[in-house]
Amino acid sequence: DFKDNPEGKCGSSKQLTLLEEAEGGFDQFTRSYKSYGVQRMPDNNLVFKEWAPAAEALFLTGDFNGWDNFSHPYTKKEFGKWELHIPPKEDKTPAVAHNSKLKVVVHTSAGERLFRISPWAKYVTRHEKSVIYDWVHWDPPQPYIHKHPRPQKPRSLRIYESHVGIASPEGKVASYSNFTHNVLPRIKDLGYNCIQLMAIMEHAYYASFGYQVTSFFAASSRCGTPEELKELIDVAHSLGIIVLLDVVHSHASKNTEDGLNRFDGSDSCFFHSGPRGEHSLWDSRLFNYSGWEVLRFLLSNLRWWMEEYRFDGFRFDGVSSMLYHHHGIGSGFSGDYAEYFGLQVDEDSLVYLMLANHILHTLYEDCITIAEDVSGMPTLCCPVQEGGLGFDYRLAMAIPDKWIQILKEFKDEDWNMGNIVFTMTNRRYGEKCIAYAESHDQVLLSGNLHSSKTSLLCLIAGNEFGHPEWLDFPRVGNNESYHYARRQFNLVDTDHLRYWQLYAFDRDMNRTEDKYGWLAASPAYISVKHEGDKVIVFERANVIFIFNFHPTNSYSNYRVAAGPPGKYKIKLDSDGIQYGGHGRLDHNTEFFTEPMEFNNLPNSMLVITFNVHMPTVCFSLSLLIVVENM
């Protein structure tokens, strides 16, 4: 609280002051990717720089020197930093060629000689027969030049969650180019205005879904080159689609030869030493967010993805684990504020997230940040200047849990309307949420319930047409099979199957939202949650939504409340023939309100609502009518 702080400073503002004094401000500090790792100077001199405080000596080896482990020593600088300058060759070309392999040789005080990849490596690859990744110097003679400006931040976010590697019907790792040419047009057609890309930061283990990151500045080489990812994002921008990166700063892979772990031979370096530096459930390392060079590394990493690849923002993974010393392990959250404010809170992580959000939103006005937090931490989405963490949105993670519970534990006739409404609306007033029924955490089920009583919308690629199979990456347990690590987009293009009907409903729902903007409107007024009728009715953005979830009952002359008086027409109807329904509602019908108070609203009208069992999905959505006040 600023009032209770005699200096008028919170932890993040103190850090900003220190950055100003020591580094000349956060702008320069967060551009450290331009000085660390390897940098080519205008005269083709190469400068190599690392931070390895526990190392006794550092050498550079690689293709350029015939893998000589001693010919190119780094010079030790203050604060654990090391530098090496290599002049150009006689023909004035750089001594290290583009696409050639390198290693940092670390000599430890214990007499070990370790071969490491630079933490700042921008490209790493793995030979087919190897399990270890190689650092590859990426300095293409003709780097990709972005042609299109970033789109404006949308008023309503309609997010399409994607994993590039599975975005193909073929049993292989799909490419950035495949996504650009074959998937982006589908996303545009569907009406999504935002893509969340998963598993971009390099990870040695494919089946980790990208959450065991080994090289933080490298885009995954499984799917192609850095230039091909840049093209993907540029083409998305040309289509008016913004792109978010699923960023993993909550932990790091334990890999040593091709990861950050024990880079300088010590147990610490980028991480806490001892038990505090290990996540017992994830079997991974935990960052020391109070470390100056750790802040440099992570904050520069965010800046790198924004500047070099032109991402438009981030979904921060594992925020709950970051916020608490217990990482959420064995701890439940009832909403009692004592659970959020006490010694169990990791203040270093809190300050890091505040710094990250402050810097991103200061440098990039339209940058979007989303927190994956299951704990319900208050102030998560409050501005940093008000003492909050500064995120734009939080994930409404109770909704997918409720969706799976309903499918697994309840018969259609036992769905509880009040409980569904409570789950969908259980959030702090004014706090923006990403609401979704299924994401990569819920891909064991096909189908997708898009509830409009949400702030936003999100799904895993393929759910928009009811993908028939779950997701499983190649691993020892399934004989390294790619059968389930793919998305069968070809099913949508097959006329005699019904997948295109659910695809069409998803598309038209997005387009209708784009027209009326209910996701960005004020909270809905819920006029009906009737357990016997299994009906939910609410009004938002001058649009009335009517859901009939009853497995057998249809209703004629069903009275629903309306705020504004006037004439209403049907704008979206899940019983439409184009969606696999029966087409029982005439969209030319006009519904007129009466000045008859109903459910605490001044007007009401009579409508017809049918029960419908939608094809290709495993639940009775029944009927959605969207009517517009004319």
Side-chain angles (χ1 to χ4, degrees), residues 166-179:
I166 68 170
S168 163
E170 299 180 59
K172 64 177 185 179
V173 179
S175 67
Y176 297 126
S177 295
N178 166 74
F179 197 94

Side-chain angles (χ1 to χ4, degrees), residues 37-327:
V38 53
Q39 307 296 328
R40 178 167 57 83
M41 300 294 106
D43 60 359
N44 281 343
N45 268 285
L46 294 176
V47 179
F48 294 81
K49 187 175 183 179
E50 302 294 348
W51 176 66
E56 288 290 312
L58 252 64
F59 297 86
L60 185 71
T61 188
D63 292 334
F64 78 102
N65 68 356
W67 294 96
D68 189 318
N69 294 335
F70 299 98
S71 61
H72 288 79
Y74 285 72
T75 301
K76 190 172 185 177
K77 304 291 184 179
E78 58 182 353
F79 307 119
K81 298 170 187 176
W82 301 79
E83 282 190 15
L84 167 64
H85 295 252
I86 305 180
K89 295 189 287 189
E90 290 185 4
D91 61 3
K92 304 300 182 184
T93 60
V96 179
H98 165 63
N99 225 13
S100 61
K101 294 179 181 179
L102 295 165
K103 287 278 188 184
V104 177
V105 185
V106 178
H107 288 234
T108 72
S109 57
E112 297 173 291
R113 185 193 303 168
L114 309 174
F115 292 88
R116 296 288 188 256
I117 290 176
S118 169
W120 303 81
K122 299 175 177 67
Y123 188 55
V124 297
T125 62
R126 181 180 66 86
H127 189 274
E128 186 178 351
K129 294 182 180 180
S130 174
V131 295
I132 305 297
Y133 273 73
D134 294 307
W135 174 20
V136 175
H137 178 50
W138 191 257
D139 186 18
Q142 294 181 315
Y144 185 85
I145 305 297
H146 289 88
K147 305 176 183 67
H148 305 283
R150 286 190 171 103
Q152 286 188 328
K153 182 193 291 188
R155 62 172 184 167
S156 298
L157 273 182
R158 299 183 297 275
I159 304 174
Y160 191 91
E161 185 185 59
S162 304
H163 184 294
V164 172
I166 68 170
S168 163
E170 299 180 59
K172 64 177 185 179
V173 179
S175 67
Y176 297 126
S177 295
N178 166 74
F179 197 94
T180 301
H181 297 109
N182 297 321
V183 183
L184 283 181
R186 293 182 186 271
I187 297 172
K188 175 65 175 177
D189 178 61
L190 281 163
Y192 290 94
N193 56 20
C194 177
I195 300 169
Q196 177 187 306
L197 284 183
M198 306 171 57
I200 294 297
M201 302 167 76
E202 190 61 90
H203 48 292
Y205 184 42
Y206 189 44
S208 74
F209 226 136
Y211 293 117
Q212 291 275 346
V213 175
T214 44
S215 289
F216 283 72
F217 287 82
S220 180
S221 61
R222 288 182 185 85
C223 300
T225 68
E227 312 311 299
E228 289 164 341
L229 175 57
K230 292 173 188 176
E231 181 187 26
L232 185 163
I233 295 169
D234 196 26
V235 173
H237 286 168
S238 76
L239 299 173
I241 299 171
I242 64 174
V243 187
L244 306 181
L245 175 69
D246 195 354
V247 69
V248 186
H249 281 184
S250 50
H251 65 131
S253 167
K254 271 189 173 179
N255 287 19
T256 54
E257 288 194 53
D258 54 10
L260 284 184
N261 192 19
R262 300 183 63 86
F263 172 68
D264 64 353
S266 72
D267 183 43
S268 52
C269 199
F270 291 96
F271 310 107
H272 290 291
S273 59
R276 190 179 175 188
E278 300 202 7
H279 197 293
S280 59
L281 286 185
W282 296 345
D283 193 32
S284 54
R285 297 304 312 270
L286 298 174
F287 288 104
N288 176 9
Y289 300 103
S290 65
W292 192 264
E293 294 302 319
V294 178
L295 288 177
R296 181 195 305 278
F297 181 79
L298 293 175
L299 293 172
S300 295
N301 187 236
L302 297 173
R303 191 82 186 272
W304 162 258
W305 292 110
M306 292 292 291
E307 291 283 340
E308 185 73 10
Y309 288 91
R310 296 186 64 79
F311 278 95
D312 301 287
F314 303 94
R315 177 244 192 212
F316 281 75
D317 178 70
V319 169
S320 302
S321 173
M322 297 174 68
L323 293 177
Y324 309 98
H325 291 296
H326 54 62
H327 310 299

